[in-house]
Amino acid sequence: LVASQQASRAMAEWNSKGILKAYGSETLLPKRKYTDYEMRMFKVEPEEVLFPEDKTFSEIQKRLQFSLGGLYALSLYANFEQSFYAGLILLFLAFAEQVTTGGQYTALAVDITANAVSNDYKERVSVHEAGHLLTGYLLGVLSTKYTLSGLEAFRADGFQGSQAGTMMIESDPGALSNGKAVEEQAIERYAAIAVAGLAAEYIVFGRAEGGAVDLLQLDAILRSTGRKKKEVQEVKRWAALSVVCLLRNHKSLLLEVAEAMRSRASIGETLKLIEERIST
């Protein structure tokens, strides 16, 4: 953690000296309430960003359930009594897994299957995480690592991180709760980065599917600052509008970063790519 904070401060220093051109180079739209008319003027549909429906994941989950159900039916035909009791045991274990882990084993199994059978799913996940990484870097927040599948995250962190994700570090780790003037700026930046994955999916695919967990975490942070439900929604709409506008200006770079991440480029290599493209 200390090394990451030092790296973040070094990046900020290099940026101030003009060594880095892209890091912290972008700003967000003025924070205020934007009307539906203004959203249409910007050609942004916030509902398509802020209300993700994971259709690809759900479809693969249904197919997996159907396949397992078919196999179970065949096993019942072959040996009814043994398969029946085995089914009851599996049903009990599935229920216990839902209660004890919140279905994380099930989600991990579906994610592994989705990565094995669907290139569209892998592309969408990489675009989502590229949105987080690119937005964070352009706003001056350094990424430390990323994963593109639940299995990668599980191997790295166990169930502390059983989903694809991008980890970042603020130069001031207490900025979200230290009561300084920087607090509001840090919260706004956090909100923008939180919705960046959804915004990236919206720009590339026309709607967001993943990112429900990102929104839940953002809700928790905003509620912890004393904001009411209406205020939370206004911050999320502003953040979605701001990041869609930001990433639209860098759509080709967003796709390059996503491709580099699918090729398992290191964090250093992806940041170098961003600097090279912004500088030219």
Side-chain angles (χ1 to χ4, degrees), residues 34-219:
Y34 288 85
T35 65
D36 291 339
Y37 174 76
E38 288 176 308
M39 290 284 186
R40 289 194 295 271
M41 290 292 292
F42 281 107
K43 298 182 179 180
V44 174
E45 300 176 56
E47 291 77 14
E48 297 294 329
V49 182
L50 297 175
F51 296 93
E53 184 179 356
D54 207 338
K55 293 182 178 180
T56 304
F57 189 89
S58 297
E59 181 63 27
I60 292 172
Q61 185 175 26
K62 289 177 183 177
R63 291 181 182 180
L64 183 60
Q65 290 171 341
F66 181 79
S67 299
L68 293 175
L71 290 173
Y72 182 62
L74 289 174
S75 69
L76 283 173
Y77 180 78
N79 188 328
F80 179 82
E81 184 175 358
Q82 184 177 355
S83 298
F84 176 75
Y85 287 113
L88 288 179
I89 293 172
L90 289 174
L91 186 62
F92 171 77
L93 291 175
F95 174 76
E97 188 266 336
Q98 288 288 331
V99 172
T100 56
T101 72
Q104 291 189 83
Y105 281 109
T106 301
L108 180 59
V110 177
D111 181 79
I112 292 172
T113 305
N115 275 282
V117 303
S118 175
N119 288 328
D120 290 342
Y121 180 80
K122 290 190 286 189
E123 182 182 5
R124 185 177 286 275
V125 171
S126 67
V127 167
H128 184 102
E129 297 308 327
H132 287 304
L133 188 148
L134 178 57
T135 300
Y137 191 78
L138 294 177
L139 295 179
V141 179
L142 184 64
S143 296
T144 57
K145 70 175 182 178
Y146 67 87
T147 57
L148 296 183
S149 72
L151 185 58
E152 286 181 40
F154 179 73
R155 285 172 173 169
D157 303 310
F159 280 130
Q160 295 299 316
S162 56
Q163 292 184 328
T166 303
M167 292 189 64
M168 300 182 181
I169 185 70
E170 285 272 11
S171 57
D172 181 1
L176 291 177
S177 58
N178 59 13
K180 299 179 182 177
V182 73
E183 178 186 351
E184 189 63 25
Q185 294 178 356
I187 292 172
E188 291 172 8
R189 187 166 58 241
Y190 177 88
I193 296 170
V195 304
L198 296 109
E201 289 190 50
Y202 173 72
I203 291 167
V204 176
F205 304 107
R207 61 184 171 86
E209 288 195 6
V213 173
D214 296 331
L215 292 175
L216 288 174
Q217 292 173 341
L218 177 57
D219 278 351

